[in-house]
Amino acid sequence: MGRAAEILGVTPGFLRSLDAAKLFAPQRSPGGHRRYSRYQLRLAQRARDLVDQGTALDAACRIIILEDQLAEAQRINAQLQQRINADPERH
Protein backbone atom coordinates (compact mmCIF):
# COMPACT_ATOMS: atom_id res chain seq x y z
CA MET A 1 0.00 0.00 0.00
CA GLY A 2 2.82 2.38 0.81
CA ARG A 3 4.31 2.05 -2.66
CA ALA A 4 0.91 2.57 -4.33
CA ALA A 5 0.30 5.67 -2.21
CA GLU A 6 3.75 6.98 -3.09
CA ILE A 7 3.15 6.45 -6.82
CA LEU A 8 -0.14 8.34 -6.65
CA GLY A 9 1.06 11.04 -4.28
CA VAL A 10 -1.59 10.21 -1.69
CA THR A 11 -1.57 8.85 1.84
CA PRO A 12 -2.24 5.21 2.66
CA GLY A 13 -5.30 6.50 4.49
CA PHE A 14 -6.68 7.87 1.23
CA LEU A 15 -6.35 4.44 -0.38
CA ARG A 16 -8.03 2.82 2.64
CA SER A 17 -10.87 5.33 2.31
CA LEU A 18 -11.40 4.31 -1.33
CA ASP A 19 -11.62 0.70 -0.18
CA ALA A 20 -14.11 1.72 2.56
CA ALA A 21 -16.15 3.67 -0.02
CA LYS A 22 -16.28 0.44 -2.09
CA LEU A 23 -14.65 1.99 -5.15
CA PHE A 24 -12.59 -1.19 -5.34
CA ALA A 25 -11.41 -4.04 -3.16
CA PRO A 26 -7.67 -4.69 -3.47
CA GLN A 27 -6.34 -8.21 -3.44
CA ARG A 28 -4.44 -9.31 -0.35
CA SER A 29 -1.01 -10.86 -0.20
CA PRO A 30 -0.51 -13.97 1.95
CA GLY A 31 0.77 -11.59 4.64
CA GLY A 32 -2.42 -9.51 4.46
CA HIS A 33 -0.95 -6.53 2.59
CA ARG A 34 -3.17 -4.77 0.07
CA ARG A 35 -2.20 -5.24 -3.57
CA TYR A 36 -3.58 -2.91 -6.22
CA SER A 37 -3.99 -3.65 -9.90
CA ARG A 38 -3.08 -1.06 -12.52
CA TYR A 39 -6.79 -0.56 -13.13
CA GLN A 40 -7.37 0.13 -9.42
CA LEU A 41 -4.49 2.58 -9.42
CA ARG A 42 -6.08 4.41 -12.38
CA LEU A 43 -9.36 4.59 -10.45
CA ALA A 44 -7.53 5.89 -7.38
CA GLN A 45 -5.81 8.55 -9.51
CA ARG A 46 -9.17 9.60 -10.96
CA ALA A 47 -10.59 9.82 -7.43
CA ARG A 48 -7.63 11.92 -6.33
CA ASP A 49 -8.13 14.26 -9.29
CA LEU A 50 -11.81 14.72 -8.45
CA VAL A 51 -11.10 15.27 -4.74
CA ASP A 52 -8.38 17.78 -5.63
CA GLN A 53 -11.02 19.66 -7.67
CA GLY A 54 -13.23 19.90 -4.58
CA THR A 55 -15.49 16.89 -5.01
CA ALA A 56 -16.38 15.02 -1.83
CA LEU A 57 -14.79 11.56 -1.65
CA ASP A 58 -18.11 9.66 -1.65
CA ALA A 59 -19.33 11.71 -4.61
CA ALA A 60 -16.05 11.16 -6.46
CA CYS A 61 -16.36 7.40 -5.97
CA ARG A 62 -19.95 7.43 -7.21
CA ILE A 63 -18.96 9.47 -10.29
CA ILE A 64 -16.18 7.01 -11.11
CA ILE A 65 -18.48 4.00 -10.68
CA LEU A 66 -21.10 5.59 -12.95
CA GLU A 67 -18.47 6.51 -15.55
CA ASP A 68 -17.24 2.91 -15.51
CA GLN A 69 -20.78 1.54 -15.87
CA LEU A 70 -21.47 3.92 -18.76
CA ALA A 71 -18.28 2.88 -20.56
CA GLU A 72 -19.23 -0.80 -20.16
CA ALA A 73 -22.76 -0.16 -21.43
CA GLN A 74 -21.37 1.70 -24.45
CA ARG A 75 -18.98 -1.18 -25.17
CA ILE A 76 -21.83 -3.71 -25.03
CA ASN A 77 -24.01 -1.48 -27.19
CA ALA A 78 -21.26 -1.22 -29.83
CA GLN A 79 -20.86 -5.02 -29.86
CA LEU A 80 -24.59 -5.54 -30.29
CA GLN A 81 -24.71 -2.94 -33.05
CA GLN A 82 -21.91 -4.77 -34.88
CA ARG A 83 -23.88 -8.03 -34.63
CA ILE A 84 -26.98 -6.35 -36.02
CA ASN A 85 -25.03 -4.78 -38.87
CA ALA A 86 -23.33 -8.11 -39.65
CA ASP A 87 -26.64 -9.99 -39.91
CA PRO A 88 -27.87 -9.59 -43.52
CA GLU A 89 -31.36 -10.84 -42.63
CA ARG A 90 -31.94 -7.82 -40.41
CA HIS A 91 -31.55 -5.30 -43.22
Side-chain angles (χ1 to χ4, degrees), residues 15-64:
L15 291 175
R16 281 192 295 274
S17 68
L18 297 178
D19 189 5
K22 306 219 184 305
L23 180 59
F24 50 71
Q27 296 293 314
R28 297 285 182 149
S29 71
H33 299 283
R34 289 177 175 90
R35 292 200 171 170
Y36 298 94
S37 68
R38 288 185 177 133
Y39 175 72
Q40 290 171 333
L41 292 176
R42 284 194 302 273
L43 293 179
Q45 182 62 55
R46 177 75 175 121
R48 179 186 175 208
D49 292 344
L50 288 169
V51 169
D52 286 351
Q53 294 171 13
T55 305
L57 181 67
D58 287 344
C61 291
R62 184 69 181 142
I63 288 167
I64 293 165

